[in-house]
Amino acid sequence: MKKFMNTAETMVAESVEGFVSAHADFVVFGANRKCVRRRHLVPGKVAIISGGGAGHEPMHIGFVGRGMLDAACVGHIFTSPTPGQIVSAIEEADTGAGCLLVVKNYDGDVMNFEMAAEMVAGRHQVEMILACDDIETGRAGDGRGRRGVAGTLITERLLGAAAEQRVPLAELKALGDGLSSRIRSMGVALSGVALPQTQRTTFTLGPNEIEMGVGIHGEPGHSRELFSDADTIVSHLAEAIFDDIDQSTDKVLLFVNGLGGTPPAELYLAYNSAHRIMMEHGLRIARSLVGTYATSLDMRGLSITLAFLTDAEFSLWDSPVATAALRWGC
Amino acid sequence: MKKFMNTAETMVAESVEGFVSAHADFVVFGANRKCVRRRHLVPGKVAIISGGGAGHEPMHIGFVGRGMLDAACVGHIFTSPTPGQIVSAIEEADTGAGCLLVVKNYDGDVMNFEMAAEMVAGRHQVEMILACDDIETGRAGDGRGRRGVAGTLITERLLGAAAEQRVPLAELKALGDGLSSRIRSMGVALSGVALPQTQRTTFTLGPNEIEMGVGIHGEPGHSRELFSDADTIVSHLAEAIFDDIDQSTDKVLLFVNGLGGTPPAELYLAYNSAHRIMMEHGLRIARSLVGTYATSLDMRGLSITLAFLTDAEFSLWDSPVATAALRWGC
């Protein structure tokens, strides 16, 4: 297992420090480095806060900035940030209009974000949204529901854009909840990943195998299949998404996300397959996003996300955003 | 060798088609798909044109847009575009103020871009800049000089910004030539790459080996060394760059580039090492860039680029740019 790192213990801290140095024009560490927050907070705006385990970069720190997140907390690799980190982020980012916590639906994250919300009750007005776009974990039927994966960034973007326009907390909460049935993702891996702490690979694939339905924690998916051409693989992902999503309109945002070790050329090729399949399905691709945004360490793989949005939501998507990972209009 | 592709023959065409679909708001195919160009060309502005083999995405098509390139030609994998493609790009992109060709210093590219320039002589005013930032190929002493790698994007960005401000062709040529001694890069690989055409790996590394001094064509570097921690690897790259670059000021642009299969978290960690080393060397990091911009297919590896720029050049860097890969200020 070769990775660019010094020690497994310091890997996350050094990487986040590099991120904050590289983007010092618009992000800073919060007190005691418990969170990464916008350098210039906006008084009177609801603070949008997210976070989760490390290993998914640029998610979420790469989304801190104008028009998206006000603060993000980073835990150890694939491990929730602590309630203390989240409380610190709430205290720093809340400028009086309250906070909306965007939490990927994993037990550890939900528990710690809920605990933090309880700890600040009475002092800060806090609401919470669960991101749950991963169709595979929904199909697992273990009662815990769908987990949050790449599609989480769409929720964060739309909420961040609306907050920038001074939409109040209760309305943001309703906007976020309303998105949950209209954003769905599914992932595929060409390789497992090795955890820096243990040097162990989470699963191993043969030269002709792929893993369908992977999430973003190096975990195996729902089935091991024979490696195939991109059209076949992307079609499999797309069909599974069509079966699970609430198709409220025919206008979609199509998002192809790299899982860490997949080069841009292959992501664009997969986008090309997905674009054709969506058109054949009668959909209009109103917006596109292609890149490495929500990773599973250095996994070779990708995920496809579809989001059926309203015209008002597409306008939010288009409004100015200035973060390390997403940037347009300013 | 598992890659997201359909056939080796159609891989490049499908990937570029996906790119153009995903970014249709600001790029279009040129006639007969011979180049990718800005959707809205700017009359009276010098056209900046680049290109090269496929396999380096997002370079160069990802740099087409306001404030950078007007057109880019894509060859087969690691193969120069044809003179016919380049002629077509010149004919489409020249709106009357002439063209500047930015060419990475490889025999095939130089030959084909020169041939294209000859073919349009008398009809279009054309100048050419050679990008030659790779210190390793300079050290090889084979008389062909340094090749162009990731640092090429800095030249393209500065020339594109100046062209947007209506700087005339002769001055752009002088600006480009003046940059060549002040931009240097060096790369390291943790893995070789497999060529889609042959399914062969260009070189194979053991579990404890790394390849120092790699370029962006999957070729071996100048020495195979033992895998080490990020600080040691980055220090090796930085010292080699310090020895070869014209250090005209103490203000630098520090650029950490992923070679295709390296996740953002590791790039930021390497940036953190590089940042510390540059500070210890007495440099001021005036601007930073961290990401996957010039790839060698899906190679696990990275390169460090340093650019010693003047204040006027930093202002050009900061001016608005709107491309798929670089975007700020608009």
Side-chain angles (χ1 to χ4, degrees), chain B residues 206-221:
Chain B
N208 277 312
E209 291 178 327
I210 61 176
E211 189 75 21
M212 292 298 293
V214 294
I216 54 173
H217 294 86
E219 69 275 44

Side-chain angles (χ1 to χ4, degrees), chain A residues 3-4 23 40 66 76 97 137 140 152 191 214 220 308:
Chain A
K3 296 178 194 289
F4 292 105
H23 302 290
H40 303 292
R66 179 177 166 195
H76 294 295
T137 43
T152 307
S191 74
V214 294
F308 285 85

